[in-house]
Amino acid sequence: MGGDWRLQIARPGKPERMFPLETGVYSIGSDHENLIVLPDPAVNWRHAVLTVGDREIWIEDLMTDQGTFLDEVRVTGRRLVMPSQTIRIGPYRLRVLAAAPSAASPSAAAAEPPPVAPRPPLADAANREEEVPLARPRPEEEQRRRSIRRQIHNELLQRLDIKRLAAGRIDEKDLRRRAMDQIRAIIRDVRDRLPKDIDADQLAKEVYDEAIGLGPLEDLLADPEVTEIMVNGCEQVYVERHGKLYLTGKTFLDDDSVLAVIERIVSPIGRRIDESQPYVDARLPDGSRVNAIIHPLSLVGPCLTIRKFSREPFTADDLIRLGTWTPNLVDFLRACVLMRKNMIISGGTGSGKTTLLNVISSFIPPGDRIITIEDAAELRLSQPHVVRLEARPPNIEGKGAVTIRDLVRNALRMRPDRIIVGEVRGGEALDMLQAMNTGHEGSLTTIHANSPRDVISRLETMVLMAGMDLPLRAIREQIGSAIHLIVHEARYSDGTRKVSRVTEVVGLEGDQITMQDIFLFEQRGVDARGRVVGRLVPTGSVPTFVEEMKSRGLSLDHSIFDPSRAG
């Protein structure tokens, strides 16, 4: 009885169409590779399969989000379709009808245009243009993989209640094992319907990362060359490698998947993100810094920025090898730390201030009691006596916030030998300066600034933000007596980070703070490969506290300050 069936295809606002059905298997979807094409965003690229036998017709949904409905009952598995029953796929209504006698006549067949085709005729261009999905088109291969991942992901959620298991604090290895077992079982069930070029093992990993891990970010986090990850909505993921930005081919299923990843990051550390608090600072277990911002502040979808920390903390030798500083500067800064000189590390965004702070902090003797204060705990110190404090944002009622300034004040009561503040950006600058001036020498912090001179201006502004009506001269006296050294770091055009200036704060003369550069990076040009050519050289100025080093039993080769001997 092949050829005795017709498929009626209807959509609101469009004329009905008839499609003759021969015995065989018909793929249905929005992609033009299907035999029955239903172009609409609510229809998956490969949505369902219609199987036409000699006497029976079957419909099968391919595990889509939107589903396939037979007489408004969702199709699960393979369902028999009776004549005149209605199949609903997105906005389309499909009905299987017995073929009319005239349908077989050549003239009638020629007069009736086919409803769909792998490449629709040009005469139907107007209708096609109206039916093109409004969403920005994706590459065909990525769209196909995304659809398959979404279908398997949804099936996994039905078979395995991941949220309940996670809430029940199930062992991570057990959760992974259960999830992978279910994913592989689902893939085996649908293997005959998957494209032959799909790697089942790779597909299982992608689905697992989407459901349990951080989705497509897992591979990027594991890549040692990637130093920063930037997610701009679900379809755009950039990375930084060797100081340069590159667009990856990674994508998320949708914005909800990005939101789910953000939730997995912020929830374990007691942070939240929603419309009432649409941005958040957080960290990964390895200390990597995370910032997330969502709708309504972000107009491109959820945005996620991860500044990775290396699995093994950088050492002074690592920074020498990378060209960040020189052995002479390492010796000098180590002596300054042992002399308990207060230091500020300055630089622009992404210049490597936190990494440099971490390395300089490693020079602190192991017998000192160190208290670190950060917005999101990033520092990783190897000393045995370290107390780590982390600021807390307000709760959903806008209460309960604990600021950096609160923690600095509290740290003064904790008998610290050294206070390390991850970054000073507000009124806590006043408390930090007072701590440095009242017996807590050898403290360290970072600040955003374009130059050492700019550091002083910014500190003055931030002290005024504390709400204390102090005269400018009093503020400058505090800064001049508290800060001994400013180490300025910059990111250059080739992506490298280098210490560009080391400046001593000499003191206050009149109403101005006097400073002198001890080391300065001299850029001589750029080579044929675009790499910055230059070196860090002494200026000839000798720090005012060099003689103090001798009285403290510290030996330092004074020739490191002689520009004529700079190699």
Side-chain angles (χ1 to χ4, degrees):
M1 291 177 58
D4 290 344
W5 305 105
R6 292 188 305 167
L7 185 66
Q8 179 191 66
I9 303 176
R11 176 177 179 171
K14 299 287 181 182
E16 290 185 357
R17 301 179 184 181
M18 291 293 181
F19 185 72
L21 295 175
E22 300 287 343
T23 302
V25 178
Y26 296 80
S27 59
I28 304 173
S30 59
D31 192 271
H32 289 294
E33 290 184 355
N34 295 287
L35 295 177
I36 301 175
V37 182
L38 306 179
D40 188 88
V43 180
N44 273 25
W45 76 275
R46 192 162 179 256
H47 197 107
V49 172
L50 190 72
T51 304
V52 180
D54 289 339
R55 298 183 178 276
E56 295 176 329
I57 295 179
W58 302 81
I59 184 71
E60 182 179 7
D61 180 76
L62 299 180
M63 293 189 300
T64 59
D65 291 347
Q66 300 84 353
T68 301
F69 297 84
L70 184 61
D71 285 346
E72 296 307 317
V73 176
R74 185 160 187 157
V75 173
T76 56
R78 200 163 178 251
R79 291 284 301 279
L80 181 66
V81 180
M82 304 301 293
S84 298
Q85 282 189 303
T86 300
I87 302 169
R88 179 168 67 82
I89 297 178
Y92 292 91
R93 301 292 190 276
L94 288 67
R95 296 177 67 198
V96 176
L97 307 174
S102 60
S105 66
S107 59
E112 184 177 276
V116 287
R119 294 291 181 268
L122 293 177
D124 198 32
N127 287 336
R128 287 203 325 275
E129 189 172 355
E130 294 176 14
E131 294 182 350
V132 170
L134 296 178
R136 181 166 63 87
R138 306 184 185 97
E140 182 178 315
E141 177 63 23
E142 176 55 34
Q143 184 183 14
R144 179 174 62 169
R145 292 188 68 88
R146 186 180 302 202
S147 178
I148 293 171
R149 279 161 44 202
R150 180 183 290 111
Q151 294 169 33
I152 295 176
H153 187 191
N154 290 339
E155 180 68 18
L156 175 66
L157 293 178
Q158 293 179 13
R159 297 191 187 187
L160 191 68
D161 191 343
I162 293 173
K163 287 187 176 181
R164 181 181 61 79
L165 292 175
R169 301 187 182 277
I170 186 174
D171 180 76
E172 184 176 347
K173 292 183 179 179
D174 192 23
L175 178 60
R176 175 182 174 84
R177 179 186 56 78
R178 292 192 194 185
M180 287 301 293
D181 288 347
Q182 289 291 349
I183 291 169
R184 292 192 179 100
I186 295 169
I187 292 176
R188 283 196 300 270
D189 292 345
V190 300
R191 192 67 183 94
D192 59 328
R193 298 199 301 267
L194 294 178
K196 294 181 180 179
D197 59 340
I198 294 290
D199 185 327
D201 291 337
Q202 179 62 26
L203 180 61
K205 180 185 180 302
E206 290 175 3
V207 174
Y208 173 82
D209 290 344
E210 201 86 43
I212 307 294
L214 301 184
L217 303 186
E218 290 285 351
D219 291 337
L220 301 178
L221 289 169
D223 187 344
E225 291 190 348
V226 172
T227 53
E228 197 148 1
I229 302 168
M230 291 141 280
V231 179
N232 308 330
C234 65
E235 297 182 12
Q236 200 176 67
V237 179
Y238 279 87
V239 297
E240 181 190 71
R241 285 191 176 94
H242 308 296
K244 300 289 186 179
L245 296 183
Y246 300 92
L247 178 64
T248 71
K250 304 284 188 181
T251 60
F252 287 81
L253 292 179
D254 46 37
D255 285 349
D256 287 341
S257 295
V258 186
L259 284 171
V261 166
I262 294 173
E263 286 287 350
R264 290 184 201 126
I265 293 173
V266 305
S267 295
I269 60 172
R271 306 283 171 105
R272 65 182 179 86
I273 188 166
D274 50 40
E275 287 193 2
S276 63
Q277 180 66 44
Y279 57 89
V280 67
D281 287 318
R283 55 180 165 78
L284 295 178
D286 65 357
S288 297
R289 183 189 306 173
V290 178
N291 175 268
I293 185 167
I294 63 172
H295 179 81
L297 301 186
S298 170
L299 304 183
V300 299
C303 292
L304 184 64
T305 307
I306 301 175
R307 183 167 297 169
K308 285 177 55 181
F309 267 26
S310 60
R311 296 187 183 278
E312 295 295 329
F314 282 106
T315 65
D317 290 339
D318 291 330
L319 297 190
I320 292 173
R321 178 175 50 82
L322 294 171
T324 301
W325 57 9
T326 62
N328 285 345
L329 180 57
V330 172
D331 293 340
F332 173 64
L333 292 181
R334 181 182 282 111
C336 291
V337 170
L338 295 176
M339 287 182 63
R340 305 181 67 85
K341 295 299 179 183
N342 297 322
M343 275 189 265
I344 289 183
I345 299 166
S346 64
T349 300
S351 58
K353 298 185 298 298
T354 304
T355 299
L356 191 60
L357 175 63
N358 209 64
V359 175
I360 293 178
S361 299
S362 68
F363 301 154
I364 297 175
D368 286 2
R369 175 175 167 85
I370 307 168
I371 297 180
T372 67
I373 302 169
E374 301 171 86
D375 265 331
E378 301 174 78
L379 295 174
R380 290 181 291 177
L381 304 185
S382 58
Q383 289 88 340
H385 198 166
V386 179
V387 179
R388 305 173 72 198
L389 305 181
E390 186 176 58
R392 186 177 69 184
N395 59 22
I396 196 169
E397 297 174 350
K399 301 178 181 178
V402 179
T403 65
I404 293 288
R405 188 174 187 188
D406 296 331
L407 294 178
V408 171
R409 289 173 174 175
N410 188 78
L412 298 178
R413 304 183 184 98
M414 297 176 66
R415 200 267 178 211
D417 288 313
R418 314 263 186 161
I419 297 175
I420 301 176
V421 180
E423 182 181 346
V424 172
R425 58 167 69 95
E428 64 271 10
L430 176 59
D431 300 285
M432 186 72 187
L433 291 174
Q434 289 179 328
M436 291 175 172
N437 275 324
T438 55
H440 300 92
E441 298 92 351
S443 297
L444 302 165
T445 188
T446 71
I447 187 172
H448 276 79
N450 297 321
S451 67
R453 177 59 65 180
D454 190 36
V455 170
I456 304 301
S457 300
R458 291 215 61 210
L459 280 173
E460 292 173 359
T461 303
M462 287 187 287
V463 169
L464 292 173
M465 291 169 62
M468 304 293 289
D469 190 15
L470 297 174
L472 190 57
R473 179 175 176 81
I475 295 174
R476 288 177 177 172
E477 286 177 348
Q478 288 273 341
I479 295 173
S481 60
I483 307 301
H484 301 122
L485 212 61
I486 298 173
V487 181
H488 188 75
E489 191 171 13
R491 182 169 62 176
Y492 287 81
S493 58
D494 60 353
T496 58
R497 280 92 166 169
K498 301 178 186 297
V499 173
S500 63
R501 189 172 291 182
V502 179
T503 303
E504 181 190 8
V505 179
V506 179
L508 192 67
E509 288 188 6
D511 289 334
Q512 295 297 320
I513 291 177
T514 58
M515 308 166 69
Q516 64 173 359
D517 290 334
I518 308 300
F519 293 92
L520 192 65
F521 183 79
E522 292 182 349
Q523 182 173 345
R524 299 177 177 176
V526 179
D527 66 14
R529 298 177 61 182
R531 294 178 300 188
V532 170
V533 177
R535 60 177 182 166
L536 186 71
V537 297
T539 63
S541 299
V542 178
T544 58
F545 50 80
V546 163
E547 293 302 320
E548 185 185 346
M549 290 184 179
K550 295 180 181 178
S551 64
R552 297 201 179 190
L554 296 172
S555 60
L556 187 68
D557 185 358
H558 288 196
S559 66
I560 66 173
F561 303 118
D562 185 356
S564 64
R565 301 187 62 178

